[in-house]
Amino acid sequence: MPIKGAHGLIGKQVADSEGVEMGYVSSEDDQFLTIAEGPVGKLRLGRRFIASSAEKVLLRGPAREIFAGLNVVDNQGEFLGIVRDTMETEDVLDSLLVEDEGGEMVSVLLEDIKTIDEWVDLDISSDDVYGKQESGG
């Protein structure tokens, strides 16, 4: 892995291979980059998604492709669904589109995600996700 053990990533922009921005690195360790600013509150991103880190930290591909198929689990450990797509606002990653067990598509804002690694770990409950759908955001 090109950046394992590397330091000095703090403050660098994180973007996918198509230039869609996720935010900026606020801290790092051997397993995760913590991304802050932009639409993201404080998201831990697994280093397995990182391709390189020169002027900016680049993901291994388009966000919609590298996150697709990941299971989504709420803050209670309950399965919510599977990532099917992403949504961007002005070239900034805004949310993940998740297909729930009933086949319904729900939007999960990046600010409500705690970790993206082997699966997506939410900072909120499934009830909160559906509550945001009904209130329009």
Side-chain angles (χ1 to χ4, degrees):
M1 191 164 297
I3 62 171
K4 183 169 174 114
H7 296 286
L9 299 180
I10 295 172
K12 288 191 177 189
Q13 179 185 25
V14 178
D16 75 3
S17 63
E18 295 181 340
V20 175
E21 182 183 330
M22 285 188 72
Y24 292 84
V25 178
S26 64
S27 67
E28 61 178 310
D29 62 34
D30 287 342
Q31 195 173 4
F32 296 100
L33 297 181
T34 300
I35 301 171
E37 297 183 41
V40 180
K42 205 164 196 173
L43 167 71
R44 290 168 25 103
L45 179 66
R47 286 187 179 258
R48 69 191 196 101
F49 295 110
I50 307 303
S52 65
S53 61
E55 292 177 19
K56 61 173 82 171
V57 176
L58 288 177
L59 302 184
R60 293 189 178 273
R64 71 178 172 279
E65 291 177 13
I66 62 173
F67 299 146
L70 292 176
N71 289 334
V72 180
V73 177
D74 73 5
N75 67 350
Q76 319 252 306
E78 297 293 321
F79 176 76
L80 175 68
I82 298 172
V83 176
R84 295 297 183 205
D85 204 351
T86 60
M87 292 184 68
E88 297 88 27
T89 304
E90 298 178 9
D91 289 331
V92 176
L93 189 61
D94 182 57
S95 58
L96 301 179
L97 289 175
V98 177
E99 182 179 2
D100 70 9
E101 290 181 286
E104 181 182 344
M105 295 299 280
V106 293
S107 177
V108 177
L109 295 173
L110 249 55
E111 66 194 39
D112 293 331
I113 298 172
K114 184 170 40 175
T115 306
I116 300 176
D117 196 26
E118 298 294 324
W119 64 85
V120 177
D121 195 8
L122 301 183
D123 218 8
I124 61 174
S125 71
S126 293
D127 290 342
D128 291 337
V129 171
Y130 288 105
K132 287 186 175 201
Q133 305 301 303
E134 293 167 9
S135 67

